[in-house]
Amino acid sequence: MLNPGMSHVANVMISVESGDRPAVEELSQWLQTSALRRGFGPGAVGWVGSLNETTGSDTGWGGGKYPECDVYAGALNHADLAGLVAHVERSVWKHPEFVQLFVMDQEQAYFRVWMFHGAKLRQIAPEGREDEVSLSE
């Protein structure tokens, strides 16, 4: 079990169709109040972070135009990532075919990408790529 006093950060982004903003707001509320917490014992829930929109009118994105996508992001602490994926899968989406969930756990070097195939979220990016390259260059 992890030491709850130490951080365990995961970077999370989710891209959705604009009509799915209410589902992302519900997801962010769940992360703030009821998410499963890694390292706190079986069934522990509570605050692990939240998601903020990164593509709104005050965007920091480069270029001369506003993004034509809706992306929300957060740095989560002690989040049970399998529980997060399961919650996204159970959420009610107007357009699940456009949902893309990006998850990069602590000590990982790239995002794992999840998308719906039918009613199930499937991981698109393969595991183990960090083992294939040296990051010390």
Side-chain angles (χ1 to χ4, degrees), residues 27-121:
L27 175 61
S28 185
Q29 183 65 31
W30 176 80
L31 291 168
Q32 294 174 61
T33 60
S34 306
L36 292 170
R37 300 186 78 198
R38 180 188 331 196
F40 285 78
V45 298
W47 183 92
V48 297
S50 62
L51 300 174
N52 288 337
E53 185 176 11
T54 65
T55 50
S57 60
D58 60 348
T59 182
W61 281 33
K65 301 290 183 183
Y66 287 114
E68 293 185 351
C69 57
D70 293 334
V71 178
Y72 301 79
L76 307 182
N77 193 23
H78 293 293
D80 177 315
L81 299 179
L84 168 66
V85 171
H87 187 84
V88 170
E89 187 174 80
R90 287 189 309 269
S91 295
V92 177
W93 302 99
K94 289 183 178 183
H95 298 284
E97 63 275 15
F98 299 132
V99 173
Q100 298 172 74
L101 177 64
F102 303 83
V103 179
M104 183 170 47
D105 201 1
Q106 186 166 311
E107 307 300 328
Q108 292 180 334
Y110 68 95
F111 283 94
R112 276 51 176 179
V113 181
W114 297 81
M115 294 180 71
F116 277 97
H117 288 263
K120 296 284 186 189
L121 273 178

